[in-house]
Each structure stands twice: as structure tokens, then as C-alpha cells.
Amino acid sequence: MSETVLQAEALSIGYPGRQGAPRVIAADLYLRLHAGEVVCLLGPNGVGKSTLLRTLVGMQPPLAGRVWLDGADLRTLPPHELARRLSVVLTERIEVGQLSAYALVALGRHPHTDWTGRLSPRDEEVARWALEAVDAVSLAHRQVHELSDGERQRIMVARALAQEPLLMVLDEPTAFLDLPRRVEMMRLLRRLARETNRALLLSTHDLDLALRSADALWLLAPGGVLYSGAPEDLVLGGAFEATFASDGIAFDRRQGSFQVHPPAQQRVALIGDGLVGMWTARALERSGCLLVAAHEPAALRVVIAGDEQTPRWEVMANGGPPQYVASLHALAALVRRDHGAVDTPAPPAGPGDHSE
Amino acid sequence: MANAVPVSTESPWPRLGLRPLALLVMAGVWAGAFLLSLALGSVRIPLDQVLTILVGGEPLRATWATIVYDFRLPKALTAALAGAALGVSGLQMQTLFRNPLADPFVLGVSSGASLGVALVVLTVGAANTALLAVAGLLGNLGLVAAACLGAGLVLLLVLALARRVQSSVTLLILGLMIGYLTSAIVSLLLYFSIAERIQAYIAWSFGSFGGVTWGQLRILTPVVLGGLLLAFILTKALNALLLGETYARSMGLDIHRSRIGIVTSSAVLAGTVTAFCGPIAFLGIAIPHLCRALLRSADHRVLVPACALLGATAALLADLVAQAPGTSVVLPLNAITALIGAPVVVWIILRRGAGRGVFGV
């Protein structure tokens, strides 16, 4: 499991300047990828994720330092030898015309076939294995242009797999997929890494999925700092705040996600739990409430009544008469009306610091 | 295979083979068209007599042997070679540039040939009316030499550019610009020329397979066969390029070497044909589309031989129609190829529902 597939030493990435100094995007990177591992590369837009990926796959020369793939220097590997060790899935949409999904996957055998491109029985075997590995045997007959985005992406992964590489690099493999398809794709990639003992490196903007499924994360922060480690270590170490700080949104370490609702405006005590309790908490947070424990002082007390099928909510404002609402929409409206100051942008307030 | 055909449980995998049966049928149709073009013309020669002449026997009439050997056989061979060359050249350009509208002339090679011919016909020997009379006849060796020179110079220019530019699209734009440049010069030459010379040039630009002699075939044949051989060698590269240059590179393809190989093969094929037969339009763009639609394949190991066979067949048939069998009228070849070919291609592409599949257009 811990066999090193790719290793970067003192790597500097960027572009050579036309005159004068080169444009360095990140310098002095030390990176390692192990067999059987899924590593997600995350970072704000324009920070140089693509440049890093291009450098690691040998499409762009490094400014300094070295990349070792399977013990060989990337720069000295001949192209077809490199292609036997490394394959890619790109974001660009392919237009191949009249080609079955199977034939497309078989194109991945390119670095293994002779000069005529003839497929040996073993080549066809590998192509079939790759289609089976991504659960896409039923797509084999279909024309590539008839496939949906999710199916096409599966086929492109199978094609990369058919190259039988040690390392697969995927540039935003979940970019054009809907949420269920994204989860499926990540699950598939994880399974492929485990079962075929290959290293997978992928760039993504899908923070939540990456946190939940990657073995390790590389966070590329503005200024060329790269944090790497297990997702949980990075959360605890504050690497997410450092990486995405410039975006002006706060990272919630408890949730492992970025905070999208406004800073809390008032303290609300929520009494009740279970599924209804969880979604009630969500609705209240979205409406700008800071949830506190039942015994703490609070401007509002919300008690969940009724059962899971027909929930009701009892709302009491500072000892006033209880009001009853039958939906979270009504509850949110009531809460907003109660403090009424959310519409004006509030200064960033720390937890527990509220204006009323 | 149509979607309606139930997929047998025995083989869930589509066949990736070379489609020998389809290619055999195409070869058969080509052979038929070849024989037909020897039999039909201003004088009709029975097919059995054509075969007798071909195997070296004595035909019923001695003149028939002369007609076949001196006129129809060189013309049919020229048509077959030219059609195959243009079909394969067009296929290579469409794949390299990933553009369904690319044809053998996008690199400006045949514009170079036109410029060479224009320079000879419209300017050289301004005082020499005898040359003008000769120049009007297709197959004049001076014309061929000028066209070859023009095509060759543009080819060298394009190759020099292909070494330097990063993307094939840049190369495509440069080729188009070379084409515009040369046609501009031709227009200027036409503007300042006299009517007879203009007519001679226009006659050349109609295109014809008839002017090529046995002597010239000795040059045309090996050059075209060489270009086709190079195209066969490059099928693996062409297949990799189906996915675009970035993917092709990631699969270990040397993009620069492949691009130069493809450009050389395509330009030599198109340039030579233009030099000997004039600028034959339409075949180069239509044949690859027809082959993809008929074979429902994008595999160049099938498409290259298919484009060669179908291109040769189409050229033979177009020439046959241009001869207007039974009459002594000869119609402009370029008009025939497009007039009959365009509706046929539209019909086939629409009927096979392949319009969307060709490069996803």
C-alpha cells in the first residue's frame, strides 16, 4: 500500500518569463503519492492547480526541482514509456464522431500496441477489464456521442485505466456531473485505487466530497503554499482557513464546510432532537440564529412538538405568549420578523456577540 | 450496428476489427466502376471486349484496343489515383484539425499549384501565341511543372510553419491565409490578362483526368502510392488524434513528428493531384464523411483504405458522367463532382442519422 509512485523534490512550478524573471506559482514543493491512494488537490480558482497537475504529468517542464515517477526522472522518460506509467482524464470535451464506447476505451491501449495499432487479445482483454472496473459494460455498444455526461466520464476513466498506468491524474472529474453522479464518481475512483492498487490524483472544487473520500488532500493556497495531509489533520490544523482565506468566507471546522449563512444575530434555544431537530437547526442557522443549550439565556425558545410526520413548533419570545407554526418556512419568517435586523449587513460578529 | 439489433448475450463487446467484408465490397464496386469507365465514352465498347483487351487479347475491332490503351486506361488510372489521393488527404486533414470542414486544400497547397499555373498561363510567353494554344490543352508538361513547383513551395512553407507553431489550429489559419494570398495574386494576374489566357486558366481550373499521359503516370503513380503508404503508416497516430492533441500526447504520441508526417502525406497527395488534374473540388471533403456514415466507424485503420477505395470509385463515376457517354460533349469535372455528389452526401448523412455523430456537429 505504501509504495511510492510519484515523488516531487524541491519542485518549482510556473512559467519561464519572456524577459527577466520567470513567473513562479509555487516553489520548493515536496510531494509524494502512494499506490492505492486517492489524493485530492484543492485550492481557490486561479491559484495554479492546473499548472501543478500539468507539471506533474510532464506536459510542462518544472522551473526547478525534479519529479520522479516509479523511480524514473519524468524528464528523461520517453513519451511512450511515460504513457505506460501515467494516464490522464481531462476536462476538455471530446468529439470523436462514430466511435463506440468500447472502441474509445480500446484507444487507451495506444502505448501498448505496435506501430500498426493492432489490438492483441490481451489488449482487448484489458479494455474489457477496464469497462468492467467502472461498471460500464452495458455502455460498450453505445456511440460515445449518445452518452450522458456521467456515462461519458466513466468511459474516459475506463480509457485512462486501459492504459494500465501506475498513476491516474484526473482534472476535475466531477465538474459537469450532478450531485448523485459526483458521489458515484468519487466512490468509483476510491474503489479503483484500492482494488487496482493505483495512485489517483484529482483536482476538484468539491470540498465536501474530497473531505469525505480522499486519503490525503493537497491544499494549494494563494502564494504557492501547499498543505498536504489527511483531510482531518488539515481541518484541525487550520489549513482550510489559510487556503481559502482570501475568498472572504468562513470555514466551519465543526461542519467541515464553508459557512454560507450570515453571522448569527440572536441566540435561540432549540428543544428537541432527531431528524426534525436537525433540519430545524439548519433552518434557524440559515435565518441568522446562534443555537444555544436549553439552560442558557436566549432571545427565543423553540420547542419541537408533534411527531416526525406532522411536526409543529412552539416559539416563545422572552417569556411572551407561545406561538405555533406548522412549517419551517413559517418558523424562519417568524424568527426574521422577531429581530428584523438581518437585512442590513452586520459587521462580522464573533460567536455569542449579538446586538439585541 | 443499429440500436434495434438485439445485443446477443454471447458477445457483449462490439467488434473492433478491420471490417474486411465492407472493404471487399468497396473494392468490388471500385473494380466495377473501373471497368465501366473503360467501356463507356463517346464510343461504347462491350465489357467482354474490354476484358479481352486488358488481358492482351484481340478485340473485334482494332480501334477499340487503341481507344482503351491510349485514352481510357490512362484516364481511368488517373481518376482512380486522384480520387484515392483526395479522399485520404481530406480524411487526414479533418482528423488533424478536428474540423469536419477541412479538406485537402486547407493547407494552401493546391492554391500554390494554381498560382504556378496562373503564372505560366497568364504571364509567361506573352508574345508567344503558340504556347498559349498549347497551354490551353491540359496535360501540358510546362503546366504540370509549374503546378508542382507552386504546390511544393507552399508545402515547404507549411512544413516550416508546422515545426514552429504549437497548435494545429494555428497551422489551419496559416494555411487558409496562404490560400487567400495566392488567390489574391491569381486574381490580380487575371485582371491584367487577356481573354484567351483567362479562358485557358479557367479551363485548367475546371479539372480533368483526361490530360495525363502514360509518361506522366510514371510520376503520378509512385508519388500517390507513396503518399497513401505514408497515410497507412500514420493510422495509429490518426486514431490517437481522435481524442485531441492533449490526450494523444498523454498516450505517448510524438505530436510534432506525427503532424509533420500527416501534413507531408496530405500535401503531397493533394499537391500532386492538383498539378496533374487541376483543382478537383468536393471529393476531398465529401469522401471521408461518406465513409464514416457508411461504415459507422472512426477507426482510421478502416477509414484510410475505405476513403482510398470510395474516393477512387467516386472519381471514376464523376469522370464517366462528365464524359456524357454516347456524346462527344465533355462537361467540367468540378461541376459534376459537386452537382451529383452534394445531394448524395446530404441524403446519406441524413438517412444514417450520422450528422450528429460526425465530430459531434
Side-chain angles (χ1 to χ4, degrees), chain A residues 59 79 83 88-90 92 95 97-98 102 104 107 110 113-116 119 128 131 140-141 145 156 159 163, chain B residues 3 7 12-14 16 98 236 239-240 242-243 246-247 249-252 296-298 301 354 356-357 359-360:
Chain A
M59 285 182 183
V88 296
V89 175
L90 307 168
E92 70 181 58
E95 305 287 1
Q98 305 272 346
Y102 182 44
L104 176 66
L107 282 181
H110 188 275
T113 56
D114 61 6
W115 67 272
T116 61
L119 294 166
R128 289 169 189 190
L131 269 169
H141 277 274
H145 63 84
M156 292 315 285
R159 189 212 60 83
Q163 250 172 281
Chain B
N3 289 337
V7 180
W13 307 105
L16 297 177
R98 303 224 295 149
K236 182 175 172 177
N239 275 345
L242 275 176
L243 294 176
T246 320
Y247 270 118
R249 263 181 73 186
S250 84
M251 293 195 288
R296 298 206 66 180
S297 171
R301 290 179 303 149
R356 217 163 53 86
F359 288 91

Side-chain angles (χ1 to χ4, degrees), chain B residues 47-106:
Chain B
L47 267 179
D48 60 312
Q49 292 300 306
V50 170
L51 289 171
T52 312
I53 294 167
L54 281 183
V55 296
E58 277 296 315
L60 294 176
R61 287 186 215 164
T63 49
W64 287 354
T66 318
I67 289 174
V68 168
Y69 270 116
D70 291 353
F71 297 100
R72 290 190 189 169
L73 197 54
K75 199 173 64 156
L77 285 174
T78 305
L81 286 169
L86 292 174
V88 171
S89 174
L91 174 70
Q92 288 180 311
M93 290 297 96
Q94 290 179 1
T95 301
L96 178 65
F97 295 122
R98 303 224 295 149
N99 188 330
L101 297 178
D103 70 3
F105 306 145
V106 287

